[in-house]
Amino acid sequence: MTHSNPTPAVPAQAWQRPLGQGWDQYYVVRYASNLDDGPWHGAPLGGFGAGCIGRSPRGDFNLWHLDGGEHVFQTFPACQFSLFEAAGGRTQAYALSTQAPTDGSLSTWAWYPAATPECPTGTYHALYPRSWYRYENVFQAQITCEQFSPIWPDNYQEASYPVAVFEWTAHNPTDQPLTLSLMVSWQNMVGWFTHTQPSPAVQLRDDGSPFYEYVPALGQSAGNYNQLVSTEGLKGCLMEGAWPRRGDPQEGDGQWCLATLDNPNIEISYDLRWNPAGDGGDLWDAWARLGRLMNLLDTTPAAEGEQIGCAIALRFTLQPGETQQIPLALAWDLPVTEFAQGVRAYRRYTDFFGRSGRQARAIAQAALTHYRDWRQHIIAWQQPVLDRADLPDWFTMALFNELYDLASGGTLWSAATEADPVGQFGVLECLDYRWYESLDVRLYGGFATLLLWPALEKAVLRAFARAIPTQDDRQRVIGYYFTLGVESPLAPRKVKGATPHDLGAPNEHPWVQTNYTSYQDCNQWKDLGSDFVLQVYRAFQFTGARDVEFLQDCWPAVVETLQYLKHFDRDGDGIPENAGAPDQTFDDWQLKGISAYCGGLWLAALEAAIAIGQRLSAAGLAPGNTPILLTQYQRWLDNGLKAYHPKLWNGRYYRLDTGSDSAVVMADQLCGQFMARLLGLPDLLEEDCIRSALQAIYEACFVNFNRVMQSQAQPQSQKFAGAQVGNFSAATLAQPIGVANGVLPDGTPEDPDSTHPLEVWTGINFGLAACFAQMGQAEQGMAIAEAVVRQIYHYGLQFRTPEAITALGTYRACHYLRPMAIWGLYQML
């Protein structure tokens, strides 16, 4: 018991939402075939690659990313915190979610009242990896729950743990004793999160992207049983499954553990077997009367078709002015992720807890032993950023919250090997485009791992370096042509020397079978090779410029991919040409000839390659042909610099390309220049031209675009069948929504039917904002970033940030990797 700090401090910068209050206006998905779970998302819980769960601002647990790369969004109401209070002869009890079941289950339970403007009942706050629930005006006690997982920079152990910590603080502000009982119930889910169709058929969506159906074993609980935990100062429930005790666990095998510390001031009671599919009275009735469970020690396994749950209740009395803090841990030990049938990996946390699948109690024990230290690590990381007077609250809020994707982005983090001493790592491009570490996307999105977990950044890039020399001759259809309604040419999956677009998908063999996406023939892309070289040198520079062994590991792939990419320089002017079919990150946008985007990246990559070769030579680690290569790269660079500016500069900004006669102002035309200056390489362009182009981008793609959008009821058409219109038009709002990818100087579309040019890409906006800040124009950069952050966090996109939003109130591709580019903006600030 303590008398100090009765109400835990919540940082003022945390995102907040009244408990259970819905959204009057929120974005909906652009294409009906894509994922749209609605706006009820909160900060995820669980370590990187360990699987994660999500708890929403309603208080329900509704996100279950426990099978690597797969997505389940569904509330299981039995997984819940509930609170009993007795005072002055009056009792009340509520399950602490505002969302009652709609299927008739748990009908005896009382559900917490949602907040309204007239009667606020509490607030949800989130500053990832911490989040808080404050409950008000219902109980006489002041109640706060803080929840988090052990995520902080340069942490390659605890950040992998499959655990969530919940610290409940109860304070009695009254002049009479209050008796409280906190109950936590959970459904035994062992075996649920595994794919029942291990070799699913791959299909094409209406937008041309490949997908497959995930069919988990939800509800298949036969043989599951619960046990009491009462050892080493722990009290709680251990949820077991029917899998064999001998031999290695398979995917889905393992345990869950719900535990707290034994405390002489708290009466702990339990129920090891109740029916979460019934009316809930077998658990609720006695507890809601007395605040105690019946200590039912029933370990009988579930029969076929039966569901079982467990629960613990913690009952205590607060004298006037007293405060009680109660820690609880939820841990899961599901050590195996299976990809294609028979292809599997052990998760990173098994390096510290073993591979048995029977260590959930030990993981919970570690959490309850160290959670205070873990929280201090998080605070020590975040507080200096939060204290900066030059950073507005909206920015620091989004800066930390956008890291959510490192946990919930279908993340993989495998156990360590000699070749990969911190394991292999991967985050999906998004849940609709389910393939790992798309290289073009992570050019901006990789800033988070680069700055905070650089060993993971290098692990990703080493995987790409290994993939570049490989080839996969399997032929496949290209989805882009499918969207056009024309017959698709067949293309090989992976050409030797081509930099792959991605590191594979969760239904095949990530890190080994690459180039999963088939929307375009990525062997023809003109940015991927440059992206790889720049990210290799960036990882070197941003980790102290000392790890020449990393450069040595990647150098052969640098050489091979630059040679491959140079083959697309058809006219010998030093710059590869774009070929008309979309062949770069804007993969629905045709570029022809030399393009400002790909050409700038190529020139910056040549500068980076020269710097890498020089570093290796100085360290005595360069192969014998390196001087010849560096001379060749310098010749390509000199020729390319002579061609780039004269062919693309129109007197005010850089033209989209040399082959289309387009007058579009492309927002990301300076990406190569930005990367060159970021890495301390020579500028590619004259300073006056950089500033002129930035001004043209700001006026056309931000100021004029938003003015035009706000003045038009139907600012753009929707390309594909089944396209959606939101429940509000962002164009009708008073504030800008961000920078469009490409419009005419007056802000109007060159083609009203185009898709990518008229979308606002969240990650590109953060990257462009960083470019403005790099050039001493932080005010413009922050205006762009604030417009995007406002759309995400005001209109129901929090913790599922999409690739793109439109002025029709629609979005595309949620849970996207690129928005972590906000960390690049932070670096520039």
Side-chain angles (χ1 to χ4, degrees), residues 207-252:
D207 66 357
S209 60
F211 78 101
Y212 61 90
E213 295 291 345
Y214 175 58
V215 185
L218 301 182
Q220 296 184 21
S221 301
N224 288 0
Y225 61 99
N226 303 322
Q227 293 182 305
L228 182 66
V229 172
S230 186
T231 58
E232 300 179 28
L234 247 60
K235 284 289 185 69
C237 301
L238 185 67
M239 289 161 268
E240 291 269 13
W243 54 285
R245 286 197 168 272
R246 294 185 178 180
D248 296 333
Q250 305 299 306
E251 183 180 54

Side-chain angles (χ1 to χ4, degrees), residues 68-398:
E70 311 296 358
H71 172 70
V72 174
F73 187 83
Q74 179 178 336
T75 296
F76 296 102
C79 301
Q80 189 52 253
F81 291 101
S82 302
L83 189 66
F84 164 95
E85 181 182 71
R90 175 177 174 267
T91 64
Q92 59 178 335
Y94 290 100
L96 296 179
S97 168
T98 65
Q99 178 68 13
T102 57
D103 61 359
S105 65
L106 309 188
S107 57
T108 63
W109 293 26
W111 299 87
Y112 194 76
T116 65
E118 299 74 26
C119 183
T121 59
T123 311
Y124 171 77
H125 307 257
L127 193 71
Y128 185 78
R130 302 164 76 198
S131 51
W132 299 259
Y133 292 81
R134 280 191 168 163
Y135 303 90
E136 303 167 356
N137 300 324
V138 174
F139 299 103
Q140 293 188 54
Q142 294 175 349
I143 306 294
T144 302
C145 173
E146 177 185 355
Q147 55 187 34
F148 62 92
S149 294
I151 309 296
W152 63 85
D154 293 312
N155 170 13
Y156 302 99
Q157 179 169 331
E158 291 88 348
S160 73
Y161 286 4
V163 71
V165 174
F166 305 86
E167 184 177 63
W168 289 83
T169 300
H171 173 69
N172 182 359
T174 74
D175 58 2
Q176 61 179 334
L178 298 177
T179 296
L180 301 173
S181 177
L182 177 67
M183 180 172 72
V184 54
S185 55
W186 210 259
Q187 195 161 355
N188 188 319
M189 299 175 163
V190 174
W192 285 19
F193 299 99
T194 181
H195 200 0
T196 59
Q197 298 179 5
S199 297
V202 177
Q203 308 167 58
L204 290 181
R205 288 196 184 91
D206 54 8
D207 66 357
S209 60
F211 78 101
Y212 61 90
E213 295 291 345
Y214 175 58
V215 185
L218 301 182
Q220 296 184 21
S221 301
N224 288 0
Y225 61 99
N226 303 322
Q227 293 182 305
L228 182 66
V229 172
S230 186
T231 58
E232 300 179 28
L234 247 60
K235 284 289 185 69
C237 301
L238 185 67
M239 289 161 268
E240 291 269 13
W243 54 285
R245 286 197 168 272
R246 294 185 178 180
D248 296 333
Q250 305 299 306
E251 183 180 54
D253 291 345
Q255 298 176 329
W256 291 72
C257 183
L258 187 61
T260 188
L261 295 173
D262 202 359
N263 185 330
N265 296 315
I266 297 176
E267 175 193 350
I268 300 176
S269 56
Y270 56 87
D271 186 335
L272 295 187
R273 201 179 196 280
W274 64 280
N275 179 17
D279 67 7
D282 53 341
L283 182 73
W284 186 267
D285 290 349
W287 174 81
R289 288 196 312 272
L290 305 171
R292 297 187 181 93
L293 297 173
M294 297 295 100
N295 291 342
L296 297 176
L297 194 62
D298 186 346
T299 61
T300 305
E304 191 70 38
E306 186 181 20
Q307 301 298 314
I308 61 170
C310 60
I312 57 173
L314 299 90
R315 190 174 188 270
F316 54 96
T317 297
L318 293 177
Q319 298 302 319
E322 280 193 320
T323 300
Q324 178 74 59
Q325 291 181 319
I326 301 173
L328 287 142
L330 176 67
W332 53 97
D333 184 8
L334 306 171
V336 174
T337 295
E338 186 170 59
F339 309 121
Q341 190 168 14
V343 179
R344 61 185 202 165
Y346 285 99
R347 289 174 155 142
R348 166 65 171 171
Y349 77 87
T350 63
D351 289 337
F352 314 107
F353 289 99
R355 299 178 173 183
S356 69
R358 302 192 183 277
Q359 296 300 313
R361 187 204 61 79
I363 298 168
Q365 176 87 56
L368 293 169
T369 302
H370 300 293
Y371 76 94
R372 289 190 178 92
D373 292 337
W374 292 354
R375 179 168 50 205
Q376 283 308 119
H377 281 298
I378 297 168
I379 292 171
W381 159 41
Q382 293 187 336
Q383 200 61 47
V385 180
L386 300 179
D387 288 343
R388 282 184 55 174
D390 61 323
L391 298 180
D393 287 355
W394 63 261
F395 177 76
T396 48
M397 178 277 294

Side-chain angles (χ1 to χ4, degrees), residues 11 104 156 252 284 349 368 375 475 477 494 532 811 823:
Y156 302 99
W284 186 267
Y349 77 87
L368 293 169
R375 179 168 50 205
Q475 300 289 303
V477 171
K494 168 69 173 70
F532 170 72
Y811 72 85
W823 281 89

